[in-house]
Amino acid sequence: MRALVRPPSPRLADGLLTHIDRHPVDTDLAMQQWDDYVAALADVGWDLIEVPPAPEHPDSVFVEDTMVVHGDRVVIARPGAPERRGETAAAERTIRDLGYSVSAVTQPATLDGGDVLKIGKTAYVGVGGRTSEDACAQLADGLGMAVEPVPVTKVLHLKSGVTALPDGTVVGYVPLVDDPARWDRFLAVPEESGAHVVVVDDDTVLMAASAPRSASLFRERGLNVVAVDISEYEKLEGCVTCLSVRLR
Ligand code: GLY
């Protein structure tokens, strides 16, 4: 397994906020938490590839938003926030250098990678926030997979509200999910950040330390849980998912 990561900008504390109030970000702690996040991915056996830093872009650490990967195909995003559009160029160069087949979302469509949740052969795409409905057809063409739009109005990205466990069960924090009935297998979790899991393998998820009750729920289902503290990124509407691009 390989994943892309991108070192935080020194201007991280100026990151965009949409649904939450601003709280001071401890940039030194954020740097340490990023090192710990990367170390946690390395500990579970992943090779990490760094996208060159973009110090002028406060939100650039959230590298997942720059692209969507499926097998050997990549669609470069066109971020819904104009302030973030400059983040994609270096990310695209990095993934091209790795030999991937690359296409890109074209205007006027917009798409943030954090709005795309792949489960099996389907990509669910959150529309209504940063991602526009007209990006869906472009994504389907570029990835060669089925795409289903779902509404997102209560959180920044689709994956701020729901992700999926290794067995495909969708996990979500109901107050922030527009349509929980959208998924046949849906597990409500008791904490907002409990809805954010990175699937490591069939038996293991990585998630935020801020969701201990959700972690217990997952352990009761037989999963191993790797927890990382990403408190400073949570203040910027970031999750464990948006801090990396898993190449799979
Ligand atoms: N702070 C993350 C974003 O708004 O994209």
Side-chain angles (χ1 to χ4, degrees):
M1 265 299 294
R2 298 188 298 179
L4 304 185
V5 291
R6 191 173 210 175
S9 161
R11 291 185 51 208
L12 176 72
D14 298 330
L16 298 173
L17 291 176
T18 306
H19 293 274
I20 62 175
D21 294 331
R22 192 169 293 278
H23 294 283
V25 171
D26 180 335
T27 306
D28 290 339
L29 177 57
M31 299 294 169
Q32 181 60 52
Q33 290 179 343
W34 186 79
D35 286 344
D36 293 346
Y37 174 87
V38 171
L41 292 180
D43 278 353
V44 293
W46 288 10
D47 293 328
L48 287 315
I49 299 152
E50 279 194 18
V51 174
E56 68 281 25
H57 289 292
D59 283 306
S60 52
V61 70
F62 302 123
V63 65
E64 181 184 56
D65 291 324
T66 62
M67 67 181 75
V68 183
V69 179
H70 178 59
D72 62 356
R73 296 166 80 156
V74 174
V75 174
I76 301 298
R78 183 168 183 268
E83 300 93 321
R84 298 196 60 189
R85 294 209 180 125
E87 296 176 24
T88 58
E92 178 173 351
R93 280 194 295 277
T94 303
I95 199 77
R96 279 189 189 280
D97 288 349
L98 291 170
Y100 283 76
S101 170
V102 175
S103 64
V105 173
T106 56
Q107 63 178 1
T110 61
L111 180 133
D112 281 16
D115 274 320
V116 182
L117 173 62
K118 293 181 297 171
I119 306 178
K121 296 185 188 324
T122 303
Y124 296 90
V125 179
V127 298
R130 294 277 176 86
T131 296
S132 60
E133 182 108 31
D134 52 353
C136 292
Q138 296 186 32
L139 190 71
D141 280 353
L143 295 184
M145 69 189 302
V147 166
E148 292 202 20
V150 293
V152 172
T153 62
K154 300 177 179 178
V155 280
L156 179 61
H157 291 129
L158 177 62
K159 282 190 282 192
S160 315
V162 294
T163 57
L165 298 178
D167 68 0
T169 301
V170 172
V171 292
Y173 180 61
V174 169
L176 299 179
V177 182
D178 282 84
D179 185 13
R182 178 71 188 68
W183 289 280
D184 294 338
R185 285 189 296 159
F186 181 88
L187 174 67
V189 294
E191 298 136 322
E192 178 175 350
S193 57
H196 314 146
V197 301
V198 170
V199 172
V200 173
D201 57 36
D202 285 350
D203 303 311
T204 310
V205 294
L206 180 139
M207 60 184 292
S210 57
R213 288 182 294 144
S214 305
S216 295
L217 200 61
F218 300 153
R219 289 192 182 101
E220 284 162 17
R221 294 172 65 98
L223 290 169
N224 305 311
V225 174
V226 178
V228 289
D229 186 355
I230 56 159
S231 62
E232 302 316 289
Y233 300 98
E234 289 169 339
K235 292 174 184 172
L236 296 163
E237 294 181 282
C239 317
V240 284
T241 47
C242 36
L243 289 168
S244 61
V245 182
R246 282 73 61 197
L247 304 183
R248 57 184 167 200

